Amino acid sequence: MNFKKTLFIVLTLFICTPVFSQQKYAIVIHGGAGVMAKSEISGERQLEYKAKLNEALNLGEEMLKEGATATDVVVGVINILEDSPLFNAGKGAVFSHDGKNELDASIMEGNTLNAGAVAGVQDIKNPIDAAREVMYNSDHVFLSGKGASEFAKKQGLEIVPNTYFYTKSRHESLEKLLKKERERTSKDNMGTVGCAVLDTNGNLSAGTSTGGMTNKKYGRIGDAPIIGAGTYANNKTCAISCTGHGEYYIRLGFARDISALMEYKNLSVSEACREEIKKLSELEGTGGVIAVDAKGNIAMEFNTSGMFRGFIKSNGEKEIAIFK
Ligand code: ASP
């Protein structure tokens, strides 16, 4: 090959690489981070988790191919996980100290910086739907408790009795903690769900849904419904959903800080997520984060032994994993 030809190929590759690395769409999800030993989750149970994460990713990809918006995909994907008893969101939510299920959720879109959230709701079947309704159909960003339920009812969302959220295993977790009179263990809370999406119009959106932490008291609210702590999206940077010990995420302004690290310090999405997890570790907090940037680059970082997680990109790349 002569010099001119080689130069032509090298230059073409150089110019085209950024175009090729731009994804048409991308989805990243989590189903909670925590201390988990391979030996404690049976092979069969691991397959169940992976199958559910796979079902959620596949549905999201279908929706994106049909032209759905990033926000609708976030809601569709999270609905699958909320309806499964495997995760600490919707059906599988953990129990509060009073033996109730109190659910939190939030959503944000990166093109408008619009956001919606609900906290401490006891009867909305899919809290992420309520968060979307707050974003699109109210003058507010954040509704709580009975008021949020009243609003959701008016919007025609499905309302269920609190007993709908009962699962034996989550109730046993509460009983165990009450017996030990311990505040909490991270293992018992595992299973918060989240999703971040880049859609075919180049828009980003992120959402998070959770039952919070087992044995929570006094109307405690974690990071999941707080925009900037557990959820954030901005088309300039990335879309983020977090899972872990919420108090630390609130104190760090975790999700917003990742976006700021990208915007002001020019870090990549992976670098920004790693940097923020480092700050979490320095405070001795535990958890994880998922994020997707405007090009479809994915980050999935955590400082626990595992995080239920997965992603899919328009170039066919796909991964579903649980442990480190
Ligand atoms: N971040 C959630 C909370 O603190 C719990 C979790 O993600 O495990 O409510």
Side-chain angles (χ1 to χ4, degrees), residues 9-87:
I9 292 170
V10 169
L11 278 177
T12 310
L13 278 175
F14 181 73
I15 292 163
C16 291
T17 301
V19 177
F20 290 145
S21 67
Q22 171 69 56
Q23 299 297 316
K24 274 197 235 117
Y25 60 78
I27 311 172
V28 58
I29 57 176
H30 70 75
V35 180
M36 42 175 114
K38 253 187 194 161
S39 55
E40 280 178 24
I41 309 180
S42 70
E44 204 180 310
R45 192 29 82 97
Q46 287 178 38
L47 288 178
E48 279 178 46
Y49 276 113
K50 285 184 175 173
K52 226 358 126 183
L53 294 171
N54 191 39
E55 184 187 332
L57 282 176
N58 287 345
L59 173 98
E61 183 172 39
E62 270 316 290
M63 290 178 75
L64 283 170
K65 282 182 177 164
E66 284 165 16
T69 65
T71 294
D72 286 346
V73 173
V74 165
V75 172
V77 165
I78 289 184
N79 281 167
I80 299 267
L81 305 174
E82 281 179 334
D83 290 343
S84 161
L86 289 173
F87 300 97

Coordinates of all heavy atoms in Angstrom, one line a residue, residues 9-87:
I9 N -6.7 6.2 4.4 CA -7.5 5.3 5.3 C -7.4 5.8 6.8 O -8.4 5.9 7.5 CB -6.9 3.9 5.2 CG1 -7.3 3.3 3.8 CG2 -7.5 3.0 6.3 CD1 -6.6 2.0 3.5
V10 N -6.2 6.3 7.2 CA -6.0 6.7 8.5 C -6.9 8.0 8.8 O -7.6 8.0 9.8 CB -4.5 7.1 8.8 CG1 -4.4 7.8 10.2 CG2 -3.7 5.8 8.8
L11 N -6.9 8.9 7.8 CA -7.7 10.1 8.0 C -9.2 9.8 8.0 O -10.0 10.4 8.8 CB -7.4 11.1 6.8 CG -6.2 12.0 7.0 CD1 -5.9 12.8 5.8 CD2 -6.3 12.8 8.3
T12 N -9.6 8.9 7.1 CA -11.1 8.5 7.1 C -11.5 7.9 8.4 O -12.5 8.3 9.0 CB -11.3 7.5 6.0 OG1 -10.7 8.0 4.8 CG2 -12.8 7.2 5.8
L13 N -10.6 7.0 9.0 CA -11.0 6.4 10.3 C -11.1 7.5 11.3 O -12.0 7.5 12.2 CB -9.9 5.4 10.6 CG -10.1 4.0 10.0 CD1 -8.9 3.1 10.3 CD2 -11.4 3.3 10.4
F14 N -10.1 8.4 11.3 CA -10.0 9.5 12.3 C -11.3 10.3 12.3 O -11.9 10.6 13.3 CB -8.8 10.3 12.1 CG -8.6 11.4 13.1 CD1 -8.2 11.1 14.4 CD2 -8.9 12.7 12.8 CE1 -8.0 12.1 15.3 CE2 -8.7 13.7 13.7 CZ -8.3 13.4 15.0
I15 N -11.7 10.7 11.1 CA -12.9 11.6 10.9 C -14.2 10.8 11.3 O -15.1 11.4 11.9 CB -13.0 12.1 9.5 CG1 -11.8 13.1 9.3 CG2 -14.3 12.9 9.2 CD1 -11.5 13.4 7.8
C16 N -14.2 9.5 10.9 CA -15.5 8.8 11.0 C -15.7 8.2 12.4 O -16.9 7.9 12.8 CB -15.6 7.7 10.0 SG -15.8 8.4 8.3
T17 N -14.6 8.0 13.2 CA -14.8 7.3 14.5 C -15.8 7.9 15.4 O -16.7 7.3 15.9 CB -13.4 7.1 15.2 OG1 -12.6 6.4 14.3 CG2 -13.6 6.4 16.5
P18 N -15.8 9.3 15.5 CA -16.8 9.9 16.4 C -18.2 9.6 15.9 O -19.1 9.5 16.7 CB -16.5 11.4 16.4 CG -15.1 11.5 15.9 CD -14.9 10.3 15.0
V19 N -18.4 9.6 14.6 CA -19.7 9.3 14.1 C -20.2 7.9 14.4 O -21.3 7.7 14.8 CB -19.7 9.6 12.5 CG1 -21.1 9.3 11.9 CG2 -19.3 11.0 12.2
F20 N -19.2 7.0 14.2 CA -19.6 5.6 14.5 C -19.9 5.4 16.0 O -20.7 4.5 16.3 CB -18.4 4.7 14.1 CG -18.3 4.6 12.5 CD1 -17.0 4.5 11.9 CD2 -19.4 4.6 11.7 CE1 -16.9 4.4 10.6 CE2 -19.3 4.6 10.3 CZ -18.0 4.4 9.8
S21 N -19.1 6.1 16.9 CA -19.3 5.8 18.3 C -20.6 6.5 18.8 O -21.0 6.2 19.9 CB -18.1 6.3 19.1 OG -18.0 7.7 19.0
Q22 N -21.2 7.4 18.0 CA -22.5 7.9 18.5 C -23.6 6.9 18.3 O -23.8 6.4 17.2 CB -22.8 9.2 17.6 CG -24.2 9.7 17.7 CD -24.4 10.4 19.1 OE1 -23.7 11.3 19.4 NE2 -25.4 10.0 19.8
Q23 N -24.2 6.5 19.4 CA -25.3 5.5 19.4 C -26.6 6.2 19.0 O -26.9 7.3 19.4 CB -25.5 4.9 20.8 CG -24.3 4.2 21.3 CD -23.9 3.0 20.4 OE1 -24.8 2.3 20.0 NE2 -22.6 2.9 20.1
K24 N -27.4 5.5 18.2 CA -28.8 6.0 17.9 C -29.6 6.0 19.1 O -30.5 6.9 19.3 CB -29.4 5.1 16.8 CG -29.0 5.5 15.4 CD -30.0 4.8 14.4 CE -29.2 4.0 13.5 NZ -29.4 2.7 13.3
Y25 N -29.4 5.0 20.0 CA -30.1 4.9 21.2 C -29.3 4.1 22.2 O -28.5 3.3 21.8 CB -31.6 4.4 21.1 CG -31.6 3.0 20.5 CD1 -31.4 1.8 21.3 CD2 -32.0 2.7 19.2 CE1 -31.4 0.6 20.8 CE2 -32.0 1.5 18.7 CZ -31.8 0.4 19.5 OH -31.8 -0.9 19.0
A26 N -29.6 4.2 23.5 CA -29.0 3.4 24.5 C -29.9 3.4 25.8 O -30.5 4.4 26.1 CB -27.6 3.9 24.9
I27 N -29.9 2.2 26.5 CA -30.6 2.1 27.7 C -29.7 1.5 28.8 O -29.0 0.5 28.5 CB -31.8 1.2 27.6 CG1 -32.7 1.5 26.4 CG2 -32.7 1.1 28.9 CD1 -33.7 0.4 26.1
V28 N -29.7 2.0 30.0 CA -29.0 1.4 31.1 C -29.9 1.3 32.3 O -30.7 2.2 32.5 CB -27.7 2.1 31.4 CG1 -27.9 3.5 31.8 CG2 -26.9 1.4 32.5
I29 N -29.9 0.2 32.9 CA -30.8 0.0 34.1 C -30.1 -0.6 35.3 O -29.0 -1.2 35.2 CB -32.0 -1.0 33.7 CG1 -31.4 -2.4 33.3 CG2 -32.9 -0.5 32.7 CD1 -32.5 -3.5 33.0
H30 N -30.7 -0.4 36.5 CA -30.2 -1.1 37.7 C -31.4 -1.6 38.4 O -32.5 -1.1 38.3 CB -29.4 -0.2 38.6 CG -30.1 0.9 39.3 ND1 -30.9 0.6 40.4 CD2 -30.1 2.2 39.1 CE1 -31.4 1.8 40.8 NE2 -31.0 2.8 40.0
G31 N -31.1 -2.7 39.2 CA -32.2 -3.2 40.1 C -31.7 -3.3 41.5 O -32.0 -4.2 42.3
G32 N -30.8 -2.2 41.9 CA -30.4 -2.1 43.2 C -28.9 -2.6 43.4 O -28.5 -3.6 42.8
A33 N -28.2 -2.0 44.3 CA -26.9 -2.4 44.7 C -26.9 -2.8 46.2 O -27.7 -2.3 46.9 CB -25.9 -1.2 44.5
G34 N -25.9 -3.6 46.5 CA -25.8 -4.0 48.0 C -24.8 -5.0 48.2 O -24.1 -5.5 47.3
V35 N -24.7 -5.4 49.5 CA -23.7 -6.5 49.8 C -24.4 -7.8 49.5 O -25.4 -8.1 50.0 CB -23.5 -6.4 51.4 CG1 -22.5 -7.5 51.8 CG2 -23.0 -5.1 51.8
M36 N -23.8 -8.5 48.5 CA -24.4 -9.8 48.1 C -23.3 -10.8 47.8 O -22.3 -10.5 47.2 CB -25.3 -9.6 47.0 CG -24.8 -8.7 45.9 SD -25.9 -8.7 44.5 CE -26.6 -7.0 44.5
A37 N -23.4 -12.0 48.4 CA -22.5 -13.0 48.1 C -23.1 -14.0 47.1 O -24.3 -14.2 47.2 CB -22.1 -13.8 49.4
K38 N -22.3 -14.4 46.2 CA -22.8 -15.3 45.2 C -23.5 -16.5 45.8 O -24.5 -17.0 45.3 CB -21.6 -15.8 44.3 CG -21.6 -15.2 42.9 CD -20.5 -15.9 42.1 CE -20.4 -15.0 40.8 NZ -19.2 -15.1 40.1
S39 N -22.9 -17.0 46.9 CA -23.4 -18.2 47.6 C -24.8 -18.0 48.2 O -25.5 -18.9 48.4 CB -22.4 -18.6 48.7 OG -22.2 -17.5 49.5
E40 N -25.1 -16.7 48.4 CA -26.4 -16.4 49.1 C -27.6 -16.2 48.1 O -28.7 -16.2 48.5 CB -26.3 -15.1 49.9 CG -25.6 -15.4 51.3 CD -25.5 -14.1 52.1 OE1 -26.2 -13.2 51.9 OE2 -24.6 -14.1 52.9
I41 N -27.3 -16.0 46.8 CA -28.3 -16.0 45.8 C -28.2 -17.2 45.0 O -27.3 -17.3 44.2 CB -28.2 -14.7 45.0 CG1 -28.1 -13.4 45.9 CG2 -29.4 -14.5 44.1 CD1 -28.0 -12.1 45.1
S42 N -29.2 -18.1 45.1 CA -29.1 -19.4 44.3 C -29.0 -19.1 42.8 O -29.4 -18.1 42.3 CB -30.4 -20.2 44.6 OG -31.5 -19.6 44.0
G43 N -28.4 -20.1 42.1 CA -28.3 -20.0 40.7 C -29.6 -19.7 40.0 O -29.7 -18.9 39.1
E44 N -30.7 -20.4 40.5 CA -32.0 -20.2 40.0 C -32.5 -18.8 40.1 O -33.0 -18.2 39.2 CB -32.9 -21.2 40.7 CG -34.2 -21.6 39.9 CD -35.0 -22.5 40.8 OE1 -34.5 -23.5 41.4 OE2 -36.2 -22.2 40.9
R45 N -32.3 -18.2 41.3 CA -32.7 -16.9 41.6 C -31.9 -15.9 40.8 O -32.5 -14.9 40.3 CB -32.4 -16.6 43.1 CG -33.0 -15.4 43.8 CD -34.3 -14.9 43.3 NE -35.5 -15.5 43.7 CZ -36.3 -15.1 44.7 NH1 -36.0 -14.1 45.4 NH2 -37.5 -15.7 44.9
Q46 N -30.6 -16.1 40.6 CA -29.8 -15.2 39.7 C -30.4 -15.2 38.3 O -30.5 -14.1 37.7 CB -28.4 -15.7 39.7 CG -27.6 -15.5 40.9 CD -26.2 -16.0 40.9 OE1 -25.5 -15.9 39.8 NE2 -25.7 -16.6 41.9
L47 N -30.8 -16.4 37.8 CA -31.4 -16.4 36.5 C -32.7 -15.6 36.4 O -33.0 -15.0 35.4 CB -31.6 -17.9 36.1 CG -30.4 -18.7 35.7 CD1 -30.7 -20.1 35.4 CD2 -29.6 -18.0 34.6
E48 N -33.5 -15.7 37.5 CA -34.8 -15.0 37.6 C -34.5 -13.5 37.5 O -35.2 -12.7 36.7 CB -35.5 -15.2 38.9 CG -36.3 -16.5 38.9 CD -36.9 -16.7 40.3 OE1 -37.5 -15.8 40.8 OE2 -36.8 -17.8 40.8
Y49 N -33.5 -13.0 38.2 CA -33.2 -11.6 38.2 C -32.7 -11.2 36.8 O -33.2 -10.2 36.2 CB -32.0 -11.2 39.2 CG -32.5 -11.0 40.6 CD1 -32.1 -11.9 41.6 CD2 -33.2 -9.9 40.9 CE1 -32.5 -11.6 42.9 CE2 -33.6 -9.6 42.2 CZ -33.3 -10.5 43.2 OH -33.7 -10.3 44.5
K50 N -31.8 -12.0 36.2 CA -31.3 -11.7 34.9 C -32.4 -11.7 33.8 O -32.4 -10.8 32.9 CB -30.2 -12.6 34.5 CG -28.9 -12.4 35.2 CD -27.8 -13.2 34.8 CE -26.5 -12.9 35.5 NZ -25.4 -13.8 35.2
A51 N -33.4 -12.6 34.0 CA -34.5 -12.7 33.0 C -35.3 -11.5 33.1 O -35.8 -10.9 32.0 CB -35.3 -14.0 33.3
K52 N -35.6 -11.0 34.3 CA -36.4 -9.8 34.4 C -35.7 -8.5 33.9 O -36.3 -7.7 33.2 CB -36.7 -9.6 35.9 CG -38.1 -9.2 36.4 CD -39.2 -9.1 35.4 CE -40.3 -10.0 35.8 NZ -41.5 -10.0 34.9
L53 N -34.4 -8.4 34.1 CA -33.6 -7.3 33.6 C -33.6 -7.4 32.1 O -33.8 -6.3 31.4 CB -32.2 -7.3 34.1 CG -32.0 -7.1 35.7 CD1 -30.6 -7.4 36.1 CD2 -32.4 -5.7 36.1
N54 N -33.5 -8.6 31.5 CA -33.5 -8.8 30.1 C -34.8 -8.4 29.5 O -34.9 -7.7 28.5 CB -33.2 -10.3 29.8 CG -32.9 -10.5 28.4 OD1 -32.3 -9.7 27.7 ND2 -33.4 -11.6 27.8
E55 N -35.9 -8.8 30.2 CA -37.3 -8.4 29.7 C -37.4 -6.9 29.6 O -38.0 -6.4 28.7 CB -38.3 -9.1 30.6 CG -39.7 -8.9 30.2 CD -40.7 -9.3 31.3 OE1 -40.4 -10.3 32.1 OE2 -41.8 -8.8 31.4
A56 N -36.9 -6.3 30.7 CA -37.1 -4.8 30.7 C -36.3 -4.1 29.6 O -36.8 -3.2 29.0 CB -36.6 -4.3 32.1
L57 N -35.0 -4.6 29.4 CA -34.2 -4.0 28.3 C -34.8 -4.2 27.0 O -34.9 -3.3 26.1 CB -32.8 -4.6 28.4 CG -31.8 -4.1 29.4 CD1 -30.5 -4.9 29.4 CD2 -31.5 -2.6 29.3
N58 N -35.3 -5.4 26.8 CA -35.9 -5.8 25.5 C -37.1 -4.9 25.2 O -37.3 -4.4 24.1 CB -36.3 -7.2 25.4 CG -35.1 -8.1 25.2 OD1 -34.0 -7.6 24.9 ND2 -35.3 -9.4 25.5
L59 N -38.0 -4.7 26.2 CA -39.2 -3.9 26.0 C -38.7 -2.4 25.7 O -39.3 -1.8 24.8 CB -40.0 -3.8 27.3 CG -41.2 -2.8 27.2 CD1 -42.5 -3.5 26.7 CD2 -41.4 -2.0 28.4
G60 N -37.7 -1.9 26.4 CA -37.2 -0.6 26.2 C -36.7 -0.4 24.8 O -37.0 0.6 24.1
E61 N -36.0 -1.5 24.3 CA -35.4 -1.4 22.9 C -36.5 -1.4 21.9 O -36.5 -0.6 20.9 CB -34.5 -2.5 22.7 CG -33.8 -2.4 21.3 CD -32.7 -3.4 21.0 OE1 -32.9 -4.6 21.5 OE2 -31.7 -3.0 20.4
E62 N -37.6 -2.2 22.1 CA -38.7 -2.3 21.2 C -39.3 -0.9 21.1 O -39.6 -0.4 20.0 CB -39.8 -3.2 21.8 CG -39.8 -4.6 21.4 CD -39.5 -4.9 19.9 OE1 -40.4 -4.6 19.1 OE2 -38.4 -5.3 19.6
M63 N -39.6 -0.3 22.3 CA -40.2 1.1 22.3 C -39.4 2.1 21.6 O -39.9 2.9 20.8 CB -40.4 1.5 23.8 CG -41.5 0.7 24.5 SD -41.6 1.3 26.3 CE -42.5 2.8 26.1
L64 N -38.0 2.1 21.8 CA -37.2 3.0 21.1 C -37.2 2.9 19.6 O -37.2 3.8 18.9 CB -35.7 2.9 21.7 CG -35.5 3.5 23.0 CD1 -34.1 3.1 23.6 CD2 -35.6 5.0 23.0
K65 N -37.2 1.6 19.2 CA -37.2 1.4 17.7 C -38.5 1.9 17.1 O -38.6 2.3 15.9 CB -37.1 -0.2 17.4 CG -35.7 -0.6 17.6 CD -35.6 -2.1 17.2 CE -34.2 -2.6 17.3 NZ -34.2 -4.1 17.3
E66 N -39.6 1.9 17.9 CA -40.9 2.4 17.4 C -41.0 3.9 17.6 O -42.0 4.5 17.3 CB -42.0 1.7 18.1 CG -42.3 0.3 17.6 CD -43.2 -0.5 18.5 OE1 -43.9 0.0 19.4 OE2 -43.2 -1.8 18.3
G67 N -39.9 4.6 18.1 CA -39.9 6.0 18.1 C -40.3 6.6 19.5 O -40.6 7.8 19.5
A68 N -40.5 5.8 20.5 CA -40.9 6.3 21.8 C -39.9 7.3 22.4 O -38.7 7.2 22.0 CB -41.1 5.2 22.8
T69 N -40.4 8.2 23.2 CA -39.5 9.2 23.8 C -38.7 8.5 25.0 O -39.1 7.5 25.5 CB -40.2 10.4 24.4 OG1 -41.0 9.9 25.5 CG2 -41.1 11.1 23.4
A70 N -37.5 9.1 25.3 CA -36.7 8.6 26.4 C -37.5 8.5 27.7 O -37.4 7.5 28.4 CB -35.5 9.5 26.6
T71 N -38.4 9.5 28.0 CA -39.2 9.4 29.2 C -40.1 8.3 29.2 O -40.3 7.6 30.2 CB -39.9 10.8 29.4 OG1 -38.9 11.8 29.6 CG2 -40.9 10.8 30.5
D72 N -40.8 8.1 28.1 CA -41.8 7.0 28.0 C -41.1 5.6 28.2 O -41.6 4.7 28.7 CB -42.7 7.0 26.8 CG -43.7 8.2 26.9 OD1 -43.9 8.7 28.0 OD2 -44.3 8.5 25.8
V73 N -39.9 5.5 27.6 CA -39.1 4.3 27.8 C -38.7 4.1 29.2 O -38.8 3.0 29.7 CB -37.9 4.3 26.8 CG1 -37.0 3.1 27.1 CG2 -38.3 4.3 25.4
V74 N -38.2 5.1 29.9 CA -37.9 5.0 31.3 C -39.0 4.5 32.1 O -38.9 3.5 32.9 CB -37.4 6.4 31.8 CG1 -37.4 6.4 33.4 CG2 -36.0 6.8 31.3
V75 N -40.2 5.0 31.8 CA -41.4 4.6 32.6 C -41.8 3.1 32.2 O -42.0 2.3 33.1 CB -42.6 5.5 32.3 CG1 -43.9 5.0 32.9 CG2 -42.3 6.9 32.9
G76 N -41.8 2.8 30.9 CA -42.1 1.4 30.5 C -41.2 0.4 31.1 O -41.6 -0.6 31.6
V77 N -39.9 0.7 31.1 CA -38.9 -0.2 31.6 C -39.0 -0.3 33.2 O -39.1 -1.5 33.7 CB -37.4 0.3 31.3 CG1 -36.4 -0.4 32.1 CG2 -37.2 0.1 29.8
I78 N -39.2 0.8 33.8 CA -39.4 0.7 35.3 C -40.6 0.0 35.7 O -40.7 -0.7 36.7 CB -39.2 2.2 35.9 CG1 -37.8 2.6 35.8 CG2 -39.7 2.2 37.4 CD1 -37.4 3.9 36.4
N79 N -41.7 0.2 34.9 CA -43.0 -0.6 35.2 C -42.8 -2.1 35.3 O -43.3 -2.7 36.2 CB -44.0 -0.3 34.1 CG -44.7 1.1 34.3 OD1 -45.4 1.5 33.4 ND2 -44.6 1.7 35.5
I80 N -41.9 -2.6 34.4 CA -41.7 -4.0 34.4 C -41.0 -4.4 35.7 O -41.4 -5.5 36.3 CB -40.7 -4.4 33.2 CG1 -41.3 -4.1 31.9 CG2 -40.2 -5.9 33.3 CD1 -42.0 -5.2 31.2
L81 N -40.1 -3.6 36.2 CA -39.4 -3.9 37.4 C -40.2 -3.7 38.7 O -40.2 -4.4 39.6 CB -38.1 -3.1 37.5 CG -37.1 -3.3 36.3 CD1 -35.9 -2.4 36.3 CD2 -36.7 -4.8 36.1
E82 N -41.1 -2.6 38.6 CA -42.0 -2.3 39.7 C -43.0 -3.4 39.9 O -43.4 -3.7 41.0 CB -42.8 -1.0 39.4 CG -42.0 0.3 39.7 CD -42.8 1.5 39.4 OE1 -43.7 1.5 38.5 OE2 -42.5 2.6 40.0
D83 N -43.4 -4.1 38.8 CA -44.5 -5.1 38.9 C -43.9 -6.5 39.3 O -44.7 -7.4 39.5 CB -45.2 -5.2 37.5 CG -46.1 -4.0 37.2 OD1 -46.4 -3.3 38.2 OD2 -46.5 -3.9 36.0
S84 N -42.6 -6.5 39.4 CA -42.0 -7.8 39.8 C -41.7 -7.8 41.3 O -41.2 -6.8 41.8 CB -40.6 -8.0 39.1 OG -39.8 -8.9 39.8
P85 N -42.0 -8.9 42.0 CA -41.7 -8.9 43.5 C -40.2 -9.0 43.8 O -39.8 -8.9 44.9 CB -42.5 -10.2 43.9 CG -42.6 -11.0 42.7 CD -42.7 -10.1 41.5
L86 N -39.4 -9.2 42.7 CA -37.9 -9.4 43.0 C -37.3 -8.1 43.4 O -36.3 -8.1 44.1 CB -37.3 -9.8 41.7 CG -37.5 -11.2 41.1 CD1 -36.9 -11.4 39.8 CD2 -37.0 -12.2 42.1
F87 N -37.9 -6.9 43.1 CA -37.2 -5.7 43.3 C -37.8 -4.8 44.4 O -39.1 -4.9 44.5 CB -37.0 -4.9 42.0 CG -36.3 -5.6 40.9 CD1 -37.0 -6.4 40.0 CD2 -34.9 -5.7 40.9 CE1 -36.3 -7.1 39.0 CE2 -34.2 -6.4 40.0 CZ -34.9 -7.1 39.0

